[in-house]
Amino acid sequence: MTLDELPTPAVLVEKSALEANIASMQARAEANRVAIRPHVKTHRSPSVGRMQIDAGASGVTVAKVGEAEVFAKAGFKDIRLAYCVVGTNKYRRIAELDERVRISFCVDTEVGATLASDFFASRGRTLNVLIEVDTGQHRCGVAWEDDEVVLLAERIEELKGLQYVGILTHGGYGYYGPRGDETKEQALRRWSIQERDRMLDVASRLKHEGFAPGEISIGSTPTMRYFENRVVDGQTITEIRPGNYVFNDLTQVGLGVASLSDCAQTVLATVVSRHRDRDGSERFFLDAGKKVLTSDGAFGQDGFGALLYNARTMVSLPHATISNLSEEHAWASVRGGTTVAVGDRLRIVPNHACVVANMQPKMYLVDGDDVLEELPVDAQSQST
Ligand code: PLP
């Protein structure tokens, strides 16, 4: 089958770029002697996850219990919930998963740890937990510079039903980009060092309080771009958890993490209308709106995705921007006119690949114009 036969909008994944992204992150992990546990929220597709495992990943990372259930059902044996899980329904489902797969989750408060402990201890089970550490993103996590990390580790040791296995952070600040006169590369290196060194500092303090190092798990696609492991006080990062790298997107391009040709995921859309404005500029409309491209922006980029002139060479359509989206339409504006005609099909590199993957029940693995296979998004909308 070729692209012409696909109904649009369709989410495509270019095989060569996907394989190259998986291989290069795997090589980076191996060069730094860390396990790689990709965050599968980016694709929510066991078919893609299997390629990551086949390339050498130690297991997978998920955010939601529902994702863990889908991946466990698909045969994945080692699943880390990089999320502070709270709630009886979720503990019950984790306990069920624990009978079949190796599973761990995060805690970052004494209350959260106690709630989980009460549930699992009363059922005679012990679950592996990591302490989530805030190394600067200020989302969840115990502040890295605080005594609270040690206090929480001590508390977990006292609590029945939980086994402390390590610390985990997400360097989400890698998405903040450069400061002042910094280049993009300098910023990515600085954020990467921050994530690594703050975690090694925490690990060192825990070690001095008698806690075995265990897992020291870090990662985001931007902070992994220039990641270099190091040894501090006999301890080293043990695991990285990038997610977005498997596809990349316009955000990674804007940050200097990837180039357009590293973007494996595109959205194929059809031009359904075209009009000329009084000032001579053209507007044309594609059949992929917010419900496909989502309304996420991208760092340092205008609009809602990059329209490609040539998807083989990943060259963008000159002077064109997707300036607006409605639910079912992308509004493209082109300065100085365009040869794009109603009926043409264009590929768009989205701003944020992880949310786009979740918008459709399946993606298509392609090699240029050839459709190779369907990639079902089996964990689509699994957000509980
Ligand atoms: N770990 C956690 C806890 C995350 O929240 C995320 C992303 O949201 C990742 C890892 C992967 O980050 P990225 O998609 O930037 O690779």
Side-chain angles (χ1 to χ4, degrees):
M1 180 162 62
T2 59
L3 290 186
D4 306 340
E5 294 164 67
L6 285 184
T8 59
V11 179
L12 313 180
V13 179
E14 192 68 50
K15 186 168 184 258
S16 55
L18 174 72
E19 288 175 347
N21 292 342
I22 292 173
S24 71
M25 194 58 85
Q26 184 66 39
R28 195 165 308 153
E30 286 169 16
N32 284 287
R33 297 171 308 285
V34 286
I36 175 167
R37 184 185 283 278
H39 204 313
V40 297
K41 51 103 199 188
T42 299
H43 47 75
R44 288 189 157 183
S45 171
S47 310
V48 180
R50 222 162 277 126
M51 294 180 201
Q52 293 170 303
I53 296 284
D54 289 347
S58 61
V60 294
T61 302
V62 298
K64 299 297 177 148
V65 182
E67 293 172 319
E69 288 168 335
V70 169
F71 277 77
K73 194 168 169 211
F76 290 74
K77 295 281 173 236
D78 195 329
I79 303 175
R80 174 134 32 252
L81 271 149
Y83 205 87
C84 294
V85 182
V86 175
T88 308
N89 168 281
K90 292 179 184 173
Y91 299 147
R92 183 181 51 69
R93 289 156 63 203
I94 288 178
E96 280 164 17
L97 285 167
D98 188 48
E99 287 175 16
R100 291 184 283 138
V101 300
R102 198 162 164 255
I103 190 141
S104 55
F105 65 96
C106 295
V107 292
D108 73 339
T109 58
E110 189 176 335
V111 177
T114 307
L115 287 170
S117 156
D118 289 347
F119 183 92
F120 294 116
S122 69
R123 283 155 182 83
R125 306 190 76 96
T126 302
L127 269 287
N128 288 337
V129 291
L130 295 98
I131 296 180
E132 182 164 352
V133 178
D134 174 14
T135 50
Q137 190 190 15
H138 306 321
R139 194 173 64 178
C140 295
V142 181
W144 72 278
E145 68 273 53
D146 229 279
D147 285 347
E148 236 188 289
V149 183
V150 173
L151 294 176
L152 187 56
E154 285 170 352
R155 185 73 188 117
I156 292 168
E157 289 264 287
E158 288 162 14
L159 289 170
K160 292 201 172 61
L162 300 182
Q163 175 67 48
Y164 165 83
V165 294
I167 51 177
L168 174 148
T169 197
H170 167 53
Y173 32 78
Y175 286 94
Y176 299 166
R179 283 186 193 143
D181 299 337
E182 259 183 341
T183 63
K184 290 178 180 178
E185 180 176 334
Q186 285 166 339
L188 290 167
R189 287 187 185 280
R190 177 173 53 74
W191 293 123
S192 183
I193 289 169
Q194 170 172 325
E195 183 182 42
R196 178 197 67 194
D197 287 356
R198 290 183 177 181
M199 286 299 271
L200 290 174
D201 187 276
V202 172
S204 179
R205 279 182 282 131
L206 283 165
K207 181 179 167 187
H208 288 282
E209 295 299 332
F211 288 94
E215 298 285 354
I216 307 175
S217 174
I218 66 169
S220 73
T221 296
T223 54
M224 290 303 101
R225 176 67 181 86
Y226 295 106
F227 170 64
E228 286 174 12
N229 208 352
R230 74 185 273 232
V231 182
V232 173
D233 201 10
Q235 302 190 89
T236 184
I237 302 299
T238 62
E239 170 180 283
I240 60 169
R241 306 180 323 278
N244 185 277
Y245 79 96
V246 75
F247 292 154
N248 288 309
D249 53 24
L250 223 49
T251 297
Q252 305 299 346
V253 174
L255 289 164
V257 173
S259 63
L260 264 189
S261 52
D262 301 318
C263 293
Q265 186 199 62
T266 53
V267 171
L268 178 71
T270 302
V271 178
V272 294
S273 177
R274 175 184 155 166
H275 297 282
R276 176 174 282 267
D277 283 331
R278 286 207 188 89
D279 65 2
S281 58
E282 302 270 359
R283 285 174 290 130
F284 63 88
F285 297 87
L286 298 127
D287 60 356
K290 283 179 196 172
K291 284 178 176 165
V292 180
L293 293 168
T294 81
S295 15
D296 275 14
F299 179 88
Q301 307 279 348
D302 288 335
F304 297 96
L307 282 157
L308 296 177
Y309 169 69
N310 183 329
R312 197 37 99 187
T313 53
M314 297 301 273
V315 170
S316 359
L317 191 69
H319 313 299
T321 13
I322 300 180
S323 48
N324 197 5
L325 293 175
S326 39
E327 277 185 58
E328 309 295 359
H329 295 82
W331 305 40
S333 34
V334 191
R335 272 182 292 117
T338 177
T339 55
V340 170
V342 170
D344 284 355
R345 291 173 151 220
L346 294 175
R347 285 169 72 170
I348 301 161
V349 177
N351 282 349
H352 189 177
C354 314
V355 284
V356 169
N358 186 52
M359 303 302 274
Q360 303 297 320
K362 64 185 166 208
M363 302 177 283
Y364 297 92
L365 189 70
V366 300
D367 175 7
D369 289 340
D370 293 325
V371 180
L372 305 176
E373 61 181 272
E374 291 187 359
L375 299 171
V377 183
D378 293 325
Q380 187 195 17
S381 302
Q382 288 297 334
S383 295
T384 66

